[in-house]
Amino acid sequence: MAKNILICDDAAFMRMMIKDILTKNGYNIVGEAENGLKAVEKYNELKPDLVLMDITMPEMDGIQALKQIKSTDPSACIIMCSAMGQQAMVIEAIQSGAKDFIVKPFQAERVLEAVKKVVG
């Protein structure tokens, strides 16, 4: 069965790129969010198998959203996405429960490798 994925990024073209990579490889995109607040709302509403979450977003950043989702669902699978040079944030994200992280700009193989590793 195809895995359901929620994509959270404030840049529409980034969401589109990830969606394209994943749908071509048999994954099901159940929702998109443009900030951390929406990500938390959509997670609770859709209960996806996996969330791909950008770190830097308006209203609520990805790390706060990650912590909030993990507080309501400790088994949530979340992969963080970050631009180069955000090592401290990546470490905080992993310590807060993220399963993996992908560095932007995305390479399709790396996105798929991370997703497969986390949800199969």
Side-chain angles (χ1 to χ4, degrees):
M1 198 179 91
K3 296 291 182 184
N4 292 328
I5 300 177
L6 172 64
I7 301 172
C8 312
D9 197 306
D10 55 329
F13 79 96
M14 282 294 184
R15 294 196 306 270
M16 207 170 67
M17 266 178 58
I18 299 171
K19 189 179 194 172
D20 191 50
I21 292 167
L22 294 173
T23 51
K24 280 181 179 159
N25 286 278
Y27 293 97
N28 186 23
I29 307 308
V30 289
E32 295 182 29
E34 64 280 357
N35 63 53
L37 283 174
K38 288 251 187 333
V40 173
E41 273 172 33
K42 293 224 184 228
Y43 182 86
N44 293 328
E45 176 194 324
L46 302 166
K47 299 281 186 245
D49 298 308
L50 176 68
V51 181
L52 285 174
M53 177 102 64
D54 186 20
I55 290 179
T56 315
M57 292 186 290
E59 295 192 50
M60 178 193 282
D61 70 28
I63 292 179
Q64 289 172 295
L66 162 76
K67 288 176 178 170
Q68 207 162 325
I69 290 170
K70 288 298 242 181
S71 73
T72 57
D73 182 1
S75 66
C77 290
I78 301 170
I79 296 176
M80 302 304 285
C81 308
S82 79
M84 291 296 286
Q86 291 181 314
Q87 273 84 356
M89 286 177 152
V90 166
I91 291 164
E92 186 183 348
I94 299 289
Q95 288 169 341
S96 300
K99 301 279 188 214
D100 201 349
F101 71 95
I102 307 165
V103 176
K104 294 177 183 181
F106 297 119
Q107 287 164 316
E109 308 79 59
R110 177 68 188 107
V111 172
L112 292 168
E113 178 193 311
V115 170
K116 279 187 187 116
K117 189 174 93 180
V118 176
V119 292

